[in-house]
Amino acid sequence: MNRRETGSASSITKCLFPVAGLGTRFLPATKEIAKEMLPLVDRPIIAYGVDEALSAGCREMVMITGRTKKSIEDYFDRSYELEELLKARNKKTLYEKVIALSELGDFIYLRQHSPLGLGHAVLCGEPVCRNEYFGVILPDDVMIAEPSVLSQLLAVHEERGGSVLALEEVPREETSRYGIVVGTEVAPGVYSISDMVEKPAPEDAPSTLAIMGRYILSPAIFPILARQKPGAGGEIQLTDGVRTLLSEEPVWGVVYNGRRFDCGTQQGWLSANIRLAMENPLLREVVRQAIIEE
Ligand code: UTP
């Protein structure tokens, strides 16, 4: 059944992870390694995003990668030398943990040859997503929520159809960092979106509802992105594409319940590590002592 033609809403199976960005805000740490592979407490950042996609029922993880991102591919694959070594040393729990990483779902890797923007990265997923609705997770925005933020978006998609964006109320002085929406609240925390603008100055922002790194998108976005001209920063912007989509199909926004950690900068990543370690009974005291001793 072609969901795009019938317009019916149902669960999604594919989640796109655009991870081909250059990570310039985190240089030089990210010069040769993927920022998504930096550890957040006990796992790489990307692992949190994959868990979120799994929790929303996705089984196909579509990674849009670039030149410095090969370690992501290796992380979710078998590692025979390591497995043999753990087995020989009788480290059963670790052995099982390592094996489990390669069994989480189907991982598909597509290359974005040059970082032409988030919209272009999403377009690179077309050969896999084709006519299906799909999830998008920007993994450096780590979301801790129950149910997961992607699941919260999916619930709205299943009820109403159409595309769904995660929204967060931001201070007015920060609007120039985000895509900002115009919408009408149709249910508590659920908005029917009528317009959006990428990174407006505080005085020009039509609201303080900002788009955060989670989306359920209609496949109708692909032809739109394919014909779209570069926007802000000379990049193919996803916000511009969704803005065009608005004139063709419904787009909803959900003010999600949960916490977001921006791990795309050194400051955000450091803060996320400290905060999440403080919530871990095994690490809480380590962090406390380290701070006290300073
Ligand atoms: P960011 O705006 O965080 O860009 O992209 P970035 O390159 O990762 O980091 P900075 O700003 O240079 O420090 C948002 C998301 O879109 C992906 C990024 O990997 C990130 O997940 N992206 C961005 C692409 O996959 N391709 C692009 O061309 C641009």
Side-chain angles (χ1 to χ4, degrees), residues 18-26 35-36 64 112 115-118 121 138-140 264:
V19 292
L22 296 180
T24 53
R25 287 168 299 155
F26 217 137
K35 74 175 159 188
E36 296 79 11
I64 311 298
Q112 185 190 21
L116 300 177
L118 175 58
L138 308 190
D140 52 4

Side-chain angles (χ1 to χ4, degrees), residues 12 122 132-136 162-165 215-221 225 238 242 245:
I12 54 168
V122 169
E132 294 175 37
Y133 277 86
F134 56 98
V136 178
S163 299
V164 191
L165 321 176
Y215 309 75
I216 306 273
L217 289 179
S218 158
I221 195 73
L225 291 171
L238 182 58
V242 178
L245 183 66

